[in-house]
Amino acid sequence: MNTEVCARFGIEFPLFAFSHCRDVVAAVTNAGGFGVLGAVAYTPDRLEEELRWIDDHVGGRPYGVDVLVPGKIDKAAEGGGGLDALLAAVPDEHWSFLVGLFAKYDVPLPDFEKARRSDARGGARVTKEGATELIDVSLAHPIGLIASALGTPPPLMVERAKAAGIPVAALVGTPEHARRQVAAGVDLVVAQGGEAGGHTGEISTMVLVPEVVDTVAPVPVLAAGGIATGRQMAAALALGASGVWCGSVWLTTEEAETSPPVKEKLLAATSRDTIRSRSRTGKPARQLRSAWTREWEGPDSPGPLGMPLQMIVAEGAMRQINKVAESGNPGARALANYFVGQCVGLMNTVKPARQVVYDMVEDFADAVERLNAVTGTG
Ligand SMILES: Cc1cc2nc3c(=O)[nH]c(=O)nc-3n(C[C@H](O)[C@H](O)[C@H](O)COP(=O)(O)O)c2cc1C
């Protein structure tokens, strides 16, 4: 294929794969697409290990890294008071709610004290200071792109990336965000519609992509949100995008990090089984509807906290829930969930990640042929 991003990023197919799993990133890159590793879950040391592994498995082919740098976070995290300040800012009623929830669903409690400290460390990484460490680790590797979600990338990220000759991408959910990102120096805009998995706005991909393309031209745009097939990839290019950026579709691949009970739920889910909820991170994120999302909206819920405090409350709990769900505990299975978009309804079989790439390319070619038949060309 031949779009602006194929030439610019040295790839065969303009298909970018966001994943927290290094195996998916390497598989997509090796299949002719562009894998992007989500770094938010990693400590700087662990990220270093993951990137070294990717370097060893892609033979110099291009890949990227995504860090999460939220524009707005909870005041307790802005103060820079470290782990203790973050932990102290979580009200007792949130821990009590969790204890009650585990009892209600008959799930053994995790070691909350240990989980609290480890998740506070995780929460600290979604502050500007925390993200900076991840950016430094990433830029020391031969990456072909650095991306940021949830806000304008910090000037330091743009400056350091530009100095290293590495293009910067940013996810946007409105044309206004896109304008701000380009003014901040972003080279590639990912227009992510509200049907996407993870943090998302409300404008659908079909409406957002042409709006953003017109707003930021000539800066190239990738379409994201709801894309899991080659037909949708063809539609995205027709809307003016130079390629696509997919996240959900990798979650049911053989390589994915998804826990087996959640994978089962994803394969069975329809496009109506997701919800935008603040219950995992404190910001609206699309995820699988489950007893977890229902309980956080229920009458006993204290209501989710802001980011990153809600991550401290939720991530240790979800880790325990997913672990216990693997042993067949029915309550844990009811609560288990993960970030996923509406295209979960199109994800019905487990395949290797490279096969997803090849299937999308083939489906894309069929779609183009159908369009050519409509116009009498080709
Ligand atoms: C499990 C999961 C985790 C995600 N985490 C992040 C993240 O940390 N940073 C980010 O920029 N985007 C994240 N996203 C959003 C993806 O980058 C991508 O924009 C989105 O998945 C595209 O829509 P789709 O899910 O319909 O493919 C995540 C998506 C999923 C499904």
Side-chain angles (χ1 to χ4, degrees):
M1 292 185 201
N2 180 20
T3 74
E4 187 180 347
V5 301
C6 287
R8 186 142 176 205
F9 291 92
I11 49 180
E12 233 175 300
F13 313 121
L15 169 55
F16 287 65
F18 172 92
S19 175
H20 289 291
C21 171
R22 66 188 189 183
D23 303 74
V24 169
V25 171
V28 172
T29 284
N30 287 330
F34 192 104
V36 180
L37 184 74
V40 67
Y42 297 124
T43 60
D45 287 348
R46 178 74 198 282
L47 180 63
E48 171 62 30
E49 258 176 54
E50 300 294 296
L51 297 184
R52 223 180 282 148
W53 184 93
I54 295 176
D55 293 338
D56 288 344
H57 286 80
V58 297
R61 289 181 198 87
Y63 73 94
V65 175
D66 176 288
V67 289
L68 209 132
V69 196
K72 260 199 223 126
I73 53 173
D74 192 279
K75 284 201 175 55
E78 274 175 355
L83 292 190
D84 290 332
L86 279 180
L87 280 172
V90 177
D92 287 342
E93 65 173 323
H94 285 76
W95 297 118
S96 310
F97 173 69
L98 275 190
V99 170
L101 193 63
F102 275 67
K104 180 171 174 184
Y105 285 84
D106 206 11
V107 177
L109 277 177
D111 177 347
F112 266 130
E113 200 41 49
K114 206 165 129 210
R116 277 156 76 142
R117 293 205 76 77
S118 119
D119 291 315
R121 253 175 245 122
R125 280 197 296 281
V126 294
T127 60
K128 288 209 165 54
E129 298 71 33
T132 304
E133 288 185 69
L134 299 177
I135 292 164
D136 286 343
V137 169
S138 306
L139 292 177
H141 286 263
I143 58 172
L145 178 75
I146 187 156
S148 85
L150 289 184
T152 317
L156 180 138
M157 170 168 158
V158 178
E159 277 162 30
R160 290 191 191 169
K162 299 237 163 187
I166 294 166
V168 178
L171 273 69
V172 305
T174 66
E176 294 72 36
H177 288 162
R179 201 173 287 120
R180 279 207 296 274
Q181 300 281 14
V182 170
V186 157
D187 306 287
L188 177 68
V189 174
V190 182
Q192 187 206 248
E195 52 270 70
H199 295 111
T200 168
E202 287 173 308
I203 307 173
S204 70
T205 304
M206 189 73 163
V207 171
L208 182 68
V209 173
E211 275 189 317
V212 171
V213 166
D214 290 348
T215 303
V216 302
V219 174
V221 174
L222 300 179
I227 300 167
T229 66
R231 282 165 280 173
Q232 293 166 303
M233 197 171 162
L237 297 200
L239 293 174
S242 292
V244 296
W245 170 286
C246 304
S248 294
V249 74
W250 316 109
L251 298 175
T252 47
T253 58
E254 281 175 7
E255 296 91 337
E257 77 277 19
T258 326
S259 75
V262 171
K263 213 182 226 184
E264 255 176 54
K265 279 188 165 187
L266 296 180
L267 291 166
T270 71
S271 51
R272 297 180 62 205
D273 294 330
T274 70
I275 184 170
R276 269 174 94 238
S277 161
R278 291 177 52 223
S279 62
R280 284 194 67 145
T281 69
K283 287 189 187 282
R286 189 172 294 286
Q287 54 201 276
L288 203 57
R289 231 182 254 280
S290 80
W292 171 270
T293 55
R294 271 197 306 281
E295 292 289 350
W296 278 96
E297 284 176 357
D300 300 331
S301 165
L305 299 163
M307 178 181 266
L309 301 184
Q310 185 65 17
M311 293 170 77
I312 297 171
V313 173
E315 286 315 297
M318 286 313 300
R319 259 200 315 279
Q320 168 79 348
I321 287 166
N322 285 336
K323 195 169 104 200
V324 176
E326 284 186 38
S327 66
N329 178 303
R333 283 185 168 245
L335 289 163
N337 89 343
Y338 198 36
F339 305 107
V340 74
Q342 291 175 342
C343 65
V344 70
L346 294 163
M347 294 154 45
N348 303 316
T349 50
V350 177
K351 305 180 212 180
R354 78 166 178 284
Q355 194 58 46
V356 173
V357 175
Y358 298 152
D359 289 353
M360 281 181 79
V361 170
E362 200 179 315
D363 192 38
F364 174 88
D366 290 347
V368 171
E369 216 169 275
R370 278 197 301 279
L371 292 177
N372 284 340
V374 171
T375 58
T377 52

